[in-house]
Amino acid sequence: MGNVMEKIIDENKQGETLILDKKEGNQRKLFIESYGCAMNFSDSEIVASILSEQGFNTTQKLEEADLVLVNTCSIRDKAEQTVRKRLQQYNAVKRTNPKMKVGVLGCMAERLKTKFLEEEKIVDLVVGPDAYKDLPNLLAEVDEGRDAINVVLSKEETYGDISPVRLNSNGVTAFVSITRGCDNMCTFCVVPFTRGRERSRDPQSIIEEINDLWSKGFKEITLLGQNVDSYLWYGGGLKKDFEKATDLQKATAVNFAKLLELSAKAQPKMRIRFSTSNPQDFTMDVIETMAKYDNICKHIHLPVQSGSDRILKEMNRLHTREEYFELIDNIRRLIPECSISMDLIAGFPTETEQDHKDTLSLMEYVKYSFGYMFTYSERPGTMAGRKMEDDVPEVDKKRRLNDIVQLQRQHSEYRTRQHLNTTVEILIEKASKKSDQQWSGRTSDSIVAVFPKEHYKVGDLVNVYITDCTSATLIGEAVGYSKKN
Ligand code: SAH
Ligand code: F3S
């Protein structure tokens, strides 16, 4: 999980290079990097899978790549600047390897479209999030020396029929995508424009993917969507067209609580997580399902964005502060051990000091386990971008963000300390970053714990007695295997 500051600067970090299991006979080399949200990392696994059928194996060496793809993020201006800088680095390498082709995928491709080809001469290929199946055709164009672009958004595409190649995998945890796009139209957010209207993936293909992951040794999956709680399968098509579905389709529709249950039952030993939840779409039956199944991890990422009713309204977040508290109370009542994390934006247009204080007092009420905190970044084309002046001075935004980060640090510490002198169940994911003598993994409520390796191995579910902690990491000693292994 890292500490709070690490999370804020997440998008500054260089995107991770991905490793693909090599397919025999493949001659061409693909270098693929992802920036931004988990959905982008998951999408890159789909892209790698499509391209492995086109003769590409991945490489981690930029210099030897025939094709360089960067999966991009548009959520904040800073995220876009990071990608632009990275393109310049590719450019330097391309001078020594003129045959190298460069493609831009994801949200920036969708947002900037042909502008990308004009602005960044280095780019040969621009592909939006719904057009990855067209990559073989687009690459044929590029091979013939032409620029290629497909940024058409789809009503149906969920890539449910593509079996992702797990890249840079620890072999233990994996993402399973369940919805694409978003219909919520929060006024600050570019996602509905870059990822299109909301569609849900066939539950059968989701369960098959979970079963396949289990058979390959994976122990934990995260069901992924911009807004998982609005998942709704009624035979395919856009969420907004559900009204037009037949009576039979309506009667047999699968909602998120049901999908969660199906997933938990399909592999009772697989740990199940999900992300992200918009409070306005979160329903009691999801909390009940979480409470009922031991293998559903007890953590909810529940972004609130602001603690002020007026700002929530301006953001088109369709719940009040009071309703959010009710939801928190319900979660705590049914699952007392459940951790809750958040996203918050400081300095949304018209935000006053009083609005900011409301955010701090909301945080005091919830005492989140951790959070991702940002200053407002105006995005062209969004409702706030078009209709509202970005009027909170940068210094005030930064100061308010700092207040939020400081308070969150106290709350993280408070929540982490609650695990002291208890035994927690940890799924071992990898060696600790700080010491290769220690394992690192997460509790069900998504707190990172480190402990001496002893005879345990990656993928083991281990009981760990917690003796110490930092503000965000538990420190302990293994006391034996969990009975659930
Ligand atoms: N539904 C997705 C939203 C993705 S954006 C999810 O909840 O994960 C992730 C977070 O980025 C949002 O919750 C919000 O806090 C932040 N964000 C989105 N647009 C932003 C903007 N224009 N400026 C600053 N932060 C923004
Ligand atoms: Fe963005 Fe709101 Fe959807 S934050 S992704 S429009 S739920």
Side-chain angles (χ1 to χ4, degrees), residues 75-76 188-189 226 276 303 305 343 345 374-377 379:
I75 201 79
R76 284 167 291 274
F188 52 81
C189 183
Q226 299 297 340
T276 298
Q305 317 299 0
D343 296 346
I345 298 176
F374 315 98
T375 52
Y376 173 68
S377 166
R379 306 316 292 133

Side-chain angles (χ1 to χ4, degrees), residues 106-119:
C107 289
M108 274 177 91
E110 194 61 50
R111 195 177 85 73
L112 293 160
K113 303 187 170 64
T114 51
K115 259 207 212 155
F116 232 126
L117 296 167
E118 293 150 22
E119 287 170 13

Side-chain angles (χ1 to χ4, degrees), residues 182 184-186 188-189 191-192 226 278 305 317:
C182 185
N184 275 352
M185 298 303 266
C186 303
F188 52 81
C189 183
V191 170
Q226 299 297 340
N278 186 317
Q305 317 299 0
R317 304 286 288 190

Side-chain angles (χ1 to χ4, degrees), residues 394-459:
E394 209 51 38
V395 284
D396 290 335
K397 283 187 189 172
K398 291 220 167 94
R399 178 180 41 79
R400 290 177 194 170
L401 177 66
N402 189 45
D403 291 348
I404 291 170
V405 168
Q406 295 310 326
L407 185 59
Q408 183 50 45
R409 182 161 298 145
Q410 289 171 27
H411 292 162
S412 294
E413 186 164 348
Y414 167 77
R415 291 288 174 204
T416 309
R417 290 187 73 83
Q418 285 183 325
H419 297 76
L420 276 178
N421 306 318
T422 69
T423 301
V424 295
E425 196 175 65
I426 303 296
L427 175 63
I428 302 178
E429 292 177 27
K430 56 188 177 207
S432 151
K433 262 187 246 156
K434 292 218 175 102
S435 154
D436 64 359
Q437 301 304 305
Q438 304 246 324
W439 286 131
S440 166
R442 271 175 304 160
T443 59
S444 168
D445 64 345
S446 213
I447 311 289
V448 171
V450 296
F451 57 95
K453 282 185 172 174
E454 298 179 68
H455 55 285
Y456 300 103
K457 55 184 195 310
V458 168

Side-chain angles (χ1 to χ4, degrees), residues 10-18 31-41 44 69-74 78-87 89-90 105-108 195:
D10 223 29
E11 65 197 15
N12 278 346
K13 277 195 281 185
Q14 189 174 302
E16 280 180 32
T17 310
L18 308 163
F31 179 91
I32 182 165
E33 277 183 331
S34 306
Y35 290 83
C37 66
M39 190 63 91
N40 265 2
F41 284 77
S44 290
L69 294 179
V70 56
N71 203 343
T72 59
C73 173
S74 285
K78 213 166 64 180
E80 293 202 347
Q81 296 315 324
T82 307
V83 169
R84 299 255 191 205
K85 273 191 218 126
R86 191 65 180 135
L87 283 172
Q89 291 168 352
Y90 296 161
L105 313 177
C107 289
M108 274 177 91
R195 288 186 164 271

